[in-house]
Amino acid sequence: MVQKYQSPIRVYKHPFELVMEAYERRFPTCHLIPMFVDSEVLEETESEDGSIHQVQRRCKLDVDAPRLLKRIAGVDYVYFSQENTLNKRERTLHIESHNETFSNRVIIHELCSYSAHPENEDWTCFEQSASLDIKSFFGFESTVEKIAMKQYASSIKKGKEIIEFYLNQLDEEGISQVPRWTPSSSSVTTKPVCATPKLLQLELPVTPAVSIPVSTDANDREIANASNNDATQSDATSNDATSQPDDQMENQTGTPDDKLDADYIKRYLGDLTPLQESCLIRLRQWLQESHKGKTLTLTPSSPSSPPFQIPKDEHILRFLRARDFNMEKAREILCQSLTWRKQHQVDYLLETWTSPQVLNDYYTGGWHHHDKEGRPLYILRLGQMDTKGLVRALGEESLLRHVLSINEEGLRRCEENTKVFGRPISCWTCLVDLEGLNMRHLWRPGVKALLRIIEVVEANYPETLGRLLILRAPRVFPVLWTLVSPFIDENTRKKFLIYAGNDYQGPGGLLDYIDKEVIPDFLGGECMCEVPEGGLVPKSLYRTAEELENEDISLWTETIYQSASVFKGAPHEVVLEIIDAASVITWDFDVCKGDVVFHLYHSKRAPQPPRKDPLVGQHSSITTPGGNNVQLIDKSWTLGLDYSMVESPLTCKEGESVQGSHVTRWPGFYILQWRFHTMPGSASTNLPRVDDVLASLQVSSHKCKVMYYTEVIGSEDFRTACFDVQSLGSMTSLESSHSGFSQLSHATSNHSQSSSMISR
């Protein structure tokens, strides 16, 4: 498996030329890097005007590996080839290196670059990426991979320290400025391989740092400005050579050219190891590439819904931590959560959800200041809550929606506290008071609702609970804990602290985590707590299941999206009958699993619905937990005779979201089809390509999943903002004043070259 590394951008508050002067001093050897034994220049050239300086160098490394492994490999040193290109006119240095030793077994490739800061010409940026591919190594592939990654990670910070060391050395020598290159510089031609190169030395394949796309929204810009002030003070006291510029902190959401600054990560995300930073960067980059044009939050109540925004870095980091920075596993659960948020309009929950009065009066939970670490503090008096009464009066769905609004509010408070306290705060503390808990709380429907809530929160809000303080646990608590604990992630369970009776008042108790001034009065403190005291919900507020079902409060069942499964050889198809030839077909779908090909067909004949099985009386369509599979196009039909293709096939990768529309030219039946994407073989051979085989293995059981929404809208419901008269039915901007779809994709990018609009 190919291991990749990508680091944040590193900013030196020194001019490019001065950094290059410091960089020169690393060669031919550097005492700060014991493993860097020696280097020799193989070739050195300059352009005629002296603006381009190229150096090819061979480096000798003494890798810290077990002696036995070195003896088996038959080498004592490892050699790398480096090619450096300095452009004095553009003020850039590009470095490329690869291994010479065992190049047929191990492939190491590294790219580095120094450049003048785009916002401040007196600063210098450094970026780096690398890849490691161990094809075979005498049966020690796993060991070699671990050694390489360990040494690579440990040497990353060393690269920064080395540049700072030589910058300080230059300062001590009184060198604070190096003249920039000018066109009048003398020109030199090709030089022989003898002299030590005067300019340009490389970041070894053991000192990385790299470029990456970023996140954060408008709120983060305020935080960034506050951080810049902190950074300025820090520079004054510590003379840190690498700090982040103001504009660098203003990371625009979803802009591919954005970079994550190393100081930004430390300020807003905390201390991450180099490999953890790399996972964050690569996952965010994948989201940017695969979700372009996607609308993350679609809500009928928000006609002015913004375009898709890449999740904030804190949010991505939570999912990575939940899977121990396994990028593949984190990506899977993150994509599932993003689809869930879109399907149920969770991003607009705080704006659209108003708690019923019953919750305001009888739900015994609420936010209460913060703990000693600055985390928002949520208090839940579970023992005083009438769970049965709340479920009977509100229903499970309404309680679930309320809990989700609490979690959304917690995320918002974490962002605020990060700004207030000047350090990363990504989770909250929950204090649960169990005084009054008894067998009444083990009412089966209530426990069922609790388990479902835990399941949803665990799946979509990982690593948001920093600490759970359970106070005054009664004897019945072990019974409840036995029922609930299997649904709680192991990492989350480690954050639980349980106190029986009044143990919370002693050493190691509440005062260790919460300031005395904010301990609630009902726990013996002096702070008035506004959390409702609860009590029994009057039975007059109870409602029947039918009343709850008709009240339009369901969070899950009332979604405009439908799910479908797509199998190899069994596409999923939806038919839409068009009466008005000028109608518009709109679609919006997410590819939740696997790769699919989307088609749009037209037929004058009505496709026959799936036949019923005479034995069981059911349709022959496939029903699975992930959705239905319906096939409408009869196998006897001939393309071009019985039906025709009206849209070019569109291949959609896993994780992509596609929105589009088609202006119909004829009445009849239009069929939307999602077909399993089969990897094509190589053009020169019948054998499939290796990449295609590996990609196909990722789709288990040849099954794909899509979540889709379609709508047919008459032309009278639309206002045409721009109409392309050169192509019949071509529209570049379309807006509906009545349809639900237009409210969903109002802000979606619409690009069309034919008769449809499709955006990803």
Side-chain angles (χ1 to χ4, degrees):
M1 180 179 178
V2 179
Q3 296 288 344
K4 296 182 179 180
Y5 177 81
Q6 218 174 3
S7 79
I9 189 170
R10 185 182 300 158
V11 179
Y12 296 95
K13 289 188 174 181
H14 297 279
F16 175 80
E17 289 73 20
L18 188 63
V19 173
M20 291 297 98
E21 187 70 23
Y23 183 57
E24 291 178 22
R25 302 196 174 197
R26 293 188 51 172
F27 293 88
T29 185
C30 177
H31 70 281
L32 298 175
I33 312 179
M35 66 180 299
F36 184 29
V37 179
D38 194 12
S39 66
E40 61 174 326
V41 176
L42 302 179
E43 183 178 358
E44 185 174 5
T45 62
E46 273 192 357
S47 61
E48 293 185 358
D49 61 358
S51 62
I52 306 296
H53 187 185
Q54 294 180 316
V55 178
Q56 184 175 354
R57 186 178 286 109
R58 193 170 190 249
C59 300
K60 180 179 180 182
L61 304 181
D62 183 8
V63 179
D64 184 15
R67 184 63 185 171
L68 177 61
L69 185 62
K70 287 187 175 181
R71 292 184 63 182
I72 293 176
V75 298
D76 290 324
Y77 300 101
V78 176
Y79 291 90
F80 277 79
S81 175
Q82 303 173 4
E83 294 182 5
N84 304 346
T85 302
L86 174 66
N87 189 322
K88 301 177 184 178
R89 184 192 304 273
E90 301 294 335
R91 304 178 76 200
T92 60
L93 168 64
H94 294 288
I95 308 166
E96 182 174 0
S97 62
H98 63 272
N99 62 304
E100 294 181 358
T101 307
F102 301 118
S103 58
N104 60 330
R105 297 177 178 270
V106 180
I107 299 176
I108 301 175
H109 187 237
E110 185 182 55
L111 297 174
C112 311
S113 69
Y114 287 88
S115 60
H117 194 284
E119 304 291 338
N120 189 329
E121 61 179 12
D122 291 329
W123 290 357
T124 304
C125 296
F126 173 71
E127 305 176 54
Q128 186 165 351
S129 62
S131 64
L132 168 68
D133 184 8
I134 301 179
K135 299 189 178 297
S136 66
F137 202 85
F138 312 106
F140 291 91
E141 291 80 12
S142 178
T143 302
V144 172
E145 181 178 288
K146 291 179 181 179
I147 292 174
M149 296 303 294
K150 181 180 178 180
Q151 293 197 359
Y152 196 79
S154 64
S155 62
I156 290 173
K157 292 184 179 180
K158 180 67 69 173
K160 176 181 178 181
E161 295 171 0
I162 292 171
I163 294 297
E164 291 176 344
F165 172 83
Y166 288 120
L167 285 171
N168 291 334
Q169 191 179 77
L170 288 170
D171 185 61
E172 293 172 358
E173 296 174 4
I175 302 175
S176 59
Q177 188 175 7
V178 176
R180 294 188 185 181
W181 177 88
T182 59
S184 59
S185 300
S186 59
S187 61
V188 186
T189 56
T190 303
K191 297 182 180 179
V193 187
C194 28
T196 301
K198 177 65 180 159
L199 203 61
L200 249 327
Q201 334 307 333
L202 158 75
E203 292 285 345
L204 299 172
V206 258
T207 34
V210 76
S211 88
I212 143 155
V214 101
S215 88
T216 67
D217 58 2
N219 292 332
D220 292 326
R221 300 182 196 178
E222 293 183 347
I223 303 177
N225 292 334
S227 167
N228 292 333
N229 296 333
D230 297 340
T232 302
Q233 296 174 2
S234 173
D235 286 334
T237 57
S238 64
N239 294 323
D240 188 358
T242 63
S243 183
Q244 177 170 310
D246 293 348
D247 291 337
Q248 192 72 17
M249 278 291 198
E250 294 190 18
N251 298 314
Q252 302 292 331
T253 302
T255 306
D257 294 333
D258 288 337
K259 307 292 183 181
L260 267 183
D261 184 276
D263 292 332
Y264 161 83
I265 291 179
K266 185 175 182 180
R267 166 64 177 84
Y268 296 105
L269 304 179
D271 292 323
L272 303 178
T273 67
L275 296 183
Q276 289 173 346
E277 291 176 342
S278 175
C279 287
L280 171 64
I281 290 167
R282 289 163 54 206
L283 181 53
R284 190 173 204 293
Q285 195 171 36
W286 180 85
L287 286 170
Q288 286 179 322
E289 294 172 353
S290 62
H291 289 71
K292 291 178 181 179
K294 180 175 178 180
T295 302
L296 174 61
T297 53
L298 304 175
T299 171
S301 61
S302 255
S304 57
S305 302
F308 169 77
Q309 294 184 350
I310 294 296
K312 296 177 182 177
D313 298 312
E314 309 94 286
H315 196 62
I316 300 175
L317 190 57
R318 290 186 182 103
F319 284 87
L320 284 167
R321 283 174 170 153
R323 291 298 180 267
D324 295 326
F325 286 88
N326 184 311
M327 201 179 103
E328 295 302 320
K329 293 181 179 180
R331 181 176 69 178
E332 181 180 356
I333 62 174
L334 176 58
C335 288
Q336 292 173 355
S337 180
L338 293 179
T339 301
W340 171 82
R341 295 182 72 90
K342 173 180 177 178
Q343 184 175 6
H344 305 298
Q345 301 92 49
V346 177
D347 280 1
Y348 288 101
L349 202 55
L350 292 179
E351 302 172 14
T352 59
W353 167 248
T354 302
S355 300
Q357 191 59 41
V358 174
L359 280 174
N360 296 333
D361 295 337
Y362 296 99
Y363 188 86
T364 55
W367 294 99
H368 180 79
H369 299 282
H370 54 80
D371 67 5
K372 286 188 174 182
E373 298 180 38
R375 296 167 173 164
L377 176 63
Y378 189 83
I379 294 180
L380 180 64
R381 303 184 66 179
L382 185 59
Q384 305 299 317
M385 184 184 297
D386 181 10
T387 54
K388 179 178 180 179
L390 289 174
V391 173
R392 292 291 300 273
L394 296 169
E396 181 181 338
E397 301 292 347
S398 189
L399 276 176
L400 180 56
R401 188 190 293 256
H402 183 64
V403 172
L404 294 181
S405 70
I406 293 172
N407 282 270
E408 291 296 309
E409 173 66 17
L411 297 178
R412 188 188 65 81
R413 288 175 177 261
C414 286
E415 292 182 12
E416 289 183 352
N417 286 17
T418 296
K419 177 169 60 175
V420 171
F421 292 99
R423 60 177 180 272
I425 296 175
S426 60
C427 54
W428 52 83
T429 294
C430 185
L431 188 155
V432 180
D433 180 20
L434 296 183
E435 185 183 44
L437 188 75
N438 53 44
M439 295 301 295
R440 173 172 53 87
H441 291 85
L442 299 181
W443 179 59
R444 185 171 179 178
V447 174
K448 176 186 174 184
L450 176 61
L451 295 179
R452 184 184 178 195
I453 290 172
I454 291 175
E455 184 179 8
V456 173
V457 171
E458 280 286 310
N460 298 285
Y461 300 92
E463 297 298 317
T464 54
L465 182 64
R467 182 178 293 113
L468 180 65
L469 304 171
I470 300 177
L471 311 183
R472 302 196 279 195
R475 292 182 178 180
V476 74
F477 174 72
V479 179
L480 181 62
W481 178 249
T482 301
L483 295 172
V484 170
S485 59
F487 293 86
I488 302 175
D489 181 75
E490 182 180 356
N491 291 333
T492 303
R493 291 201 299 267
K494 295 177 181 178
K495 304 172 184 177
F496 285 28
L497 297 174
I498 304 174
Y499 301 89
N502 293 324
D503 292 348
Y504 71 92
Q505 297 177 345
L510 209 55
L511 284 175
D512 286 8
Y513 306 103
I514 303 175
D515 291 326
K516 181 180 179 180
E517 294 76 15
V518 299
I519 293 180
D521 51 350
F522 64 85
L523 292 177
E526 302 176 355
C527 185
M528 294 298 296
C529 184
E530 298 181 357
V531 174
E533 296 183 0
L536 296 177
V537 178
K539 292 187 178 180
S540 59
L541 298 177
Y542 287 12
R543 279 170 290 182
T544 65
E546 291 75 13
E547 289 175 329
L548 292 174
E549 185 177 354
N550 296 330
E551 198 184 30
D552 191 29
I553 63 171
S554 175
L555 181 63
W556 313 121
T557 57
E558 290 182 3
T559 171
I560 61 175
Y561 288 89
Q562 300 183 56
S563 297
S565 297
V566 179
F567 302 91
K568 189 172 185 179
H572 178 72
E573 295 164 345
V574 176
V575 62
L576 302 173
E577 183 176 5
I578 300 298
I579 306 300
D580 183 2
S583 298
V584 180
I585 300 174
T586 57
W587 58 82
D588 177 9
F589 64 88
D590 290 274
V591 184
C592 304
K593 180 181 180 181
D595 300 344
V596 299
V597 181
F598 176 68
H599 296 265
L600 182 62
Y601 299 107
H602 171 264
S603 175
K604 296 180 180 180
R605 299 169 53 185
Q608 296 300 315
R611 296 172 300 181
K612 291 186 178 181
D613 190 324
L615 297 178
V616 297
Q618 297 293 331
H619 288 99
S620 60
S621 60
I622 303 172
T623 302
T624 69
N628 295 322
N629 176 274
V630 178
Q631 301 169 51
L632 298 170
I633 298 179
D634 194 285
K635 293 183 178 180
S636 64
W637 283 17
T638 302
L639 182 63
L641 181 62
D642 300 289
Y643 67 108
S644 59
M645 184 183 301
V646 294
E647 285 290 344
S648 299
L650 179 66
T651 301
C652 309
K653 300 294 184 180
E654 179 177 326
E656 287 187 345
S657 183
V658 178
Q659 300 87 25
S661 62
H662 175 84
V663 182
T664 62
R665 301 179 61 180
W666 315 281
F669 299 90
Y670 286 79
I671 303 171
L672 289 77
Q673 182 192 81
W674 292 267
R675 181 182 295 275
F676 184 91
H677 177 53
T678 303
M679 298 295 180
S682 175
S684 58
T685 176
N686 294 327
L687 296 176
R689 296 176 299 174
V690 175
D691 293 343
D692 296 335
V693 173
L694 294 176
S696 66
L697 292 177
Q698 298 176 1
V699 184
S700 61
S701 304
H702 301 291
K703 176 181 177 181
C704 303
K705 292 182 181 179
V706 295
M707 187 182 72
Y708 67 92
Y709 168 78
T710 62
E711 183 179 3
V712 177
I713 309 168
S715 58
E716 65 276 6
D717 291 334
F718 282 87
R719 299 193 306 272
T720 305
C722 179
F723 199 90
D724 184 357
V725 296
Q726 297 179 355
S727 175
L728 181 60
S730 175
M731 307 186 73
T732 57
S733 179
L734 200 60
E735 182 179 345
S736 169
S737 57
H738 302 295
S739 74
F741 180 85
S742 66
Q743 293 174 332
L744 293 177
S745 56
H746 176 81
T748 305
S749 303
N750 296 323
H751 304 287
S752 173
Q753 297 298 330
S754 62
S755 62
S756 71
M757 299 185 300
I758 297 178
S759 64
R760 293 190 179 182

